[in-house]
Short mmCIF file of all heavy atoms in Angstrom, two decimals:
data_model
loop_
_atom_site.label_atom_id
_atom_site.label_comp_id
_atom_site.label_asym_id
_atom_site.label_seq_id
_atom_site.Cartn_x
_atom_site.Cartn_y
_atom_site.Cartn_z
N LEU Q 1 0.82 -1.22 0.00
CA LEU Q 1 0.00 0.00 0.00
C LEU Q 1 0.85 1.26 0.00
O LEU Q 1 0.50 2.26 -0.65
CB LEU Q 1 -0.93 -0.02 1.21
CG LEU Q 1 -1.97 -1.16 1.22
CD1 LEU Q 1 -2.80 -1.10 2.49
CD2 LEU Q 1 -2.87 -1.07 -0.01
N ARG Q 2 1.97 1.23 0.74
CA ARG Q 2 2.86 2.39 0.71
C ARG Q 2 3.43 2.59 -0.70
O ARG Q 2 3.57 3.72 -1.18
CB ARG Q 2 3.99 2.20 1.72
CG ARG Q 2 3.59 2.41 3.16
CD ARG Q 2 4.81 2.59 4.05
NE ARG Q 2 5.66 1.40 4.02
CZ ARG Q 2 5.57 0.39 4.88
NH1 ARG Q 2 4.63 0.42 5.83
NH2 ARG Q 2 6.38 -0.64 4.81
N GLY Q 3 3.79 1.49 -1.35
CA GLY Q 3 4.30 1.60 -2.72
C GLY Q 3 3.27 2.18 -3.66
O GLY Q 3 3.60 3.00 -4.53
N ASP Q 4 2.00 1.79 -3.50
CA ASP Q 4 0.94 2.35 -4.35
C ASP Q 4 0.73 3.83 -4.08
O ASP Q 4 0.42 4.61 -4.99
CB ASP Q 4 -0.36 1.58 -4.12
CG ASP Q 4 -0.28 0.15 -4.65
OD1 ASP Q 4 0.59 -0.10 -5.51
OD2 ASP Q 4 -1.08 -0.70 -4.20
N GLY Q 5 0.87 4.23 -2.81
CA GLY Q 5 0.75 5.66 -2.50
C GLY Q 5 1.84 6.47 -3.18
O GLY Q 5 1.58 7.56 -3.72
N LEU Q 6 3.06 5.95 -3.17
CA LEU Q 6 4.16 6.65 -3.85
C LEU Q 6 3.94 6.67 -5.36
O LEU Q 6 4.25 7.67 -6.04
CB LEU Q 6 5.49 5.96 -3.53
CG LEU Q 6 5.93 6.05 -2.06
CD1 LEU Q 6 7.22 5.24 -1.85
CD2 LEU Q 6 6.16 7.52 -1.66
N LEU Q 7 3.40 5.58 -5.92
CA LEU Q 7 3.10 5.56 -7.35
C LEU Q 7 2.05 6.62 -7.70
O LEU Q 7 2.19 7.35 -8.71
CB LEU Q 7 2.59 4.17 -7.74
CG LEU Q 7 2.08 4.02 -9.18
CD1 LEU Q 7 3.22 4.25 -10.18
CD2 LEU Q 7 1.45 2.65 -9.39
N ALA Q 8 1.00 6.71 -6.87
CA ALA Q 8 -0.05 7.71 -7.13
C ALA Q 8 0.52 9.12 -7.07
O ALA Q 8 0.19 9.99 -7.89
CB ALA Q 8 -1.18 7.55 -6.11
N LEU Q 9 1.42 9.35 -6.10
CA LEU Q 9 2.03 10.68 -5.99
C LEU Q 9 2.88 10.98 -7.22
O LEU Q 9 2.85 12.11 -7.76
CB LEU Q 9 2.89 10.74 -4.72
CG LEU Q 9 3.63 12.07 -4.47
CD1 LEU Q 9 2.63 13.23 -4.35
CD2 LEU Q 9 4.50 11.97 -3.22
N GLY Q 10 3.64 9.99 -7.70
CA GLY Q 10 4.46 10.21 -8.89
C GLY Q 10 3.62 10.49 -10.12
O GLY Q 10 3.96 11.37 -10.94
N ILE Q 11 2.50 9.75 -10.29
CA ILE Q 11 1.60 9.99 -11.42
C ILE Q 11 1.00 11.39 -11.34
O ILE Q 11 0.88 12.11 -12.36
CB ILE Q 11 0.49 8.92 -11.46
CG1 ILE Q 11 1.08 7.54 -11.76
CG2 ILE Q 11 -0.57 9.28 -12.49
CD1 ILE Q 11 1.61 7.37 -13.15
N ALA Q 12 0.63 11.83 -10.15
CA ALA Q 12 0.03 13.16 -9.99
C ALA Q 12 1.02 14.26 -10.37
O ALA Q 12 0.68 15.20 -11.12
CB ALA Q 12 -0.44 13.34 -8.55
N LEU Q 13 2.24 14.15 -9.86
CA LEU Q 13 3.24 15.17 -10.19
C LEU Q 13 3.57 15.16 -11.67
O LEU Q 13 3.71 16.22 -12.31
CB LEU Q 13 4.51 14.93 -9.35
CG LEU Q 13 4.35 15.09 -7.83
CD1 LEU Q 13 5.65 14.75 -7.12
CD2 LEU Q 13 3.91 16.52 -7.49
N GLY Q 14 3.72 13.97 -12.25
CA GLY Q 14 4.03 13.87 -13.66
C GLY Q 14 2.91 14.42 -14.53
O GLY Q 14 3.16 15.13 -15.52
N ALA Q 15 1.67 14.08 -14.19
CA ALA Q 15 0.53 14.56 -14.98
C ALA Q 15 0.41 16.08 -14.89
O ALA Q 15 0.12 16.76 -15.89
CB ALA Q 15 -0.75 13.89 -14.49
N ALA Q 16 0.63 16.64 -13.69
CA ALA Q 16 0.56 18.10 -13.55
C ALA Q 16 1.62 18.77 -14.40
O ALA Q 16 1.37 19.81 -15.06
CB ALA Q 16 0.72 18.48 -12.08
N ALA Q 17 2.81 18.20 -14.42
CA ALA Q 17 3.89 18.78 -15.21
C ALA Q 17 3.59 18.70 -16.70
O ALA Q 17 3.81 19.67 -17.46
CB ALA Q 17 5.21 18.09 -14.88
N THR Q 18 3.07 17.58 -17.18
CA THR Q 18 2.81 17.44 -18.62
C THR Q 18 1.63 18.28 -19.07
O THR Q 18 1.57 18.69 -20.24
CB THR Q 18 2.54 15.96 -18.96
OG1 THR Q 18 1.51 15.44 -18.12
CG2 THR Q 18 3.80 15.13 -18.78
N VAL Q 19 0.68 18.54 -18.18
CA VAL Q 19 -0.41 19.46 -18.55
C VAL Q 19 0.17 20.83 -18.90
O VAL Q 19 -0.22 21.46 -19.90
CB VAL Q 19 -1.44 19.57 -17.40
CG1 VAL Q 19 -2.38 20.77 -17.64
CG2 VAL Q 19 -2.25 18.30 -17.30
N VAL Q 20 1.11 21.29 -18.09
CA VAL Q 20 1.75 22.59 -18.36
C VAL Q 20 2.53 22.53 -19.66
O VAL Q 20 2.46 23.45 -20.50
CB VAL Q 20 2.66 22.97 -17.19
CG1 VAL Q 20 3.42 24.27 -17.50
CG2 VAL Q 20 1.85 23.13 -15.91
N LEU Q 21 3.28 21.43 -19.87
CA LEU Q 21 4.09 21.32 -21.08
C LEU Q 21 3.23 21.20 -22.33
O LEU Q 21 3.51 21.86 -23.36
CB LEU Q 21 5.01 20.09 -20.97
CG LEU Q 21 6.09 20.17 -19.89
CD1 LEU Q 21 6.87 18.86 -19.83
CD2 LEU Q 21 7.04 21.33 -20.16
N TYR Q 22 2.16 20.37 -22.29
CA TYR Q 22 1.28 20.26 -23.45
C TYR Q 22 0.57 21.58 -23.74
O TYR Q 22 0.31 21.92 -24.90
CB TYR Q 22 0.26 19.14 -23.21
CG TYR Q 22 0.77 17.75 -23.53
CD1 TYR Q 22 0.79 16.77 -22.56
CD2 TYR Q 22 1.21 17.43 -24.81
CE1 TYR Q 22 1.25 15.47 -22.84
CE2 TYR Q 22 1.67 16.17 -25.10
CZ TYR Q 22 1.70 15.18 -24.11
OH TYR Q 22 2.16 13.93 -24.40
N SER Q 23 0.21 22.32 -22.69
CA SER Q 23 -0.44 23.63 -22.90
C SER Q 23 0.51 24.60 -23.58
O SER Q 23 0.13 25.34 -24.51
CB SER Q 23 -0.90 24.20 -21.57
OG SER Q 23 -1.86 23.35 -20.97
N ALA Q 24 1.78 24.58 -23.13
CA ALA Q 24 2.77 25.46 -23.76
C ALA Q 24 3.01 25.07 -25.21
O ALA Q 24 3.30 25.93 -26.06
CB ALA Q 24 4.07 25.41 -22.96
N ALA Q 25 2.91 23.78 -25.51
CA ALA Q 25 3.11 23.31 -26.89
C ALA Q 25 1.85 23.43 -27.73
O ALA Q 25 1.86 23.04 -28.91
CB ALA Q 25 3.58 21.86 -26.87
N GLU Q 26 0.76 23.97 -27.12
CA GLU Q 26 -0.51 24.16 -27.82
C GLU Q 26 -1.02 22.85 -28.41
O GLU Q 26 -1.31 22.72 -29.59
CB GLU Q 26 -0.38 25.23 -28.92
CG GLU Q 26 -0.02 26.59 -28.36
CD GLU Q 26 0.07 27.66 -29.46
OE1 GLU Q 26 -0.05 27.27 -30.64
OE2 GLU Q 26 0.23 28.83 -29.14
N PHE Q 27 -1.09 21.84 -27.51
CA PHE Q 27 -1.57 20.53 -27.92
C PHE Q 27 -3.01 20.61 -28.41
O PHE Q 27 -3.39 19.92 -29.35
CB PHE Q 27 -1.47 19.57 -26.73
CG PHE Q 27 -1.78 18.14 -27.07
CD1 PHE Q 27 -0.85 17.34 -27.73
CD2 PHE Q 27 -3.02 17.60 -26.75
CE1 PHE Q 27 -1.14 16.03 -28.04
CE2 PHE Q 27 -3.32 16.28 -27.06
CZ PHE Q 27 -2.38 15.48 -27.71
N PHE Q 28 -3.83 21.45 -27.73
CA PHE Q 28 -5.17 21.78 -28.21
C PHE Q 28 -5.19 23.25 -28.60
O PHE Q 28 -4.33 24.04 -28.20
CB PHE Q 28 -6.21 21.49 -27.12
CG PHE Q 28 -6.43 20.01 -26.89
CD1 PHE Q 28 -6.11 19.43 -25.66
CD2 PHE Q 28 -6.98 19.22 -27.89
CE1 PHE Q 28 -6.32 18.08 -25.45
CE2 PHE Q 28 -7.20 17.88 -27.67
CZ PHE Q 28 -6.85 17.29 -26.45
N ASP Q 29 -6.21 23.60 -29.41
CA ASP Q 29 -6.31 24.98 -29.88
C ASP Q 29 -6.54 25.96 -28.74
O ASP Q 29 -6.06 27.10 -28.77
CB ASP Q 29 -7.45 25.12 -30.91
CG ASP Q 29 -7.16 24.30 -32.18
OD1 ASP Q 29 -5.94 24.06 -32.45
OD2 ASP Q 29 -8.12 23.90 -32.86
N GLU Q 30 -7.27 25.54 -27.71
CA GLU Q 30 -7.58 26.41 -26.59
C GLU Q 30 -6.90 25.88 -25.32
O GLU Q 30 -6.78 24.66 -25.13
CB GLU Q 30 -9.10 26.50 -26.36
CG GLU Q 30 -9.85 27.09 -27.55
CD GLU Q 30 -11.34 27.18 -27.29
OE1 GLU Q 30 -11.74 26.78 -26.16
OE2 GLU Q 30 -12.07 27.61 -28.19
#
């Protein structure tokens, strides 16, 4: 369970970072 908690935290941080990167790269028009 501790390992799954760390995995969830890593996915959250990674997803937040890629949202910013994809937005800067204009992945969608808006």
Side-chain angles (χ1 to χ4, degrees):
L1 296 178
R2 285 196 298 268
D4 291 339
L6 294 176
L7 173 64
L9 179 60
I11 294 291
L13 295 177
T18 53
V19 166
V20 176
L21 294 177
Y22 277 121
S23 298
E26 298 181 355
F27 187 78
F28 289 116
D29 296 335
E30 298 181 1

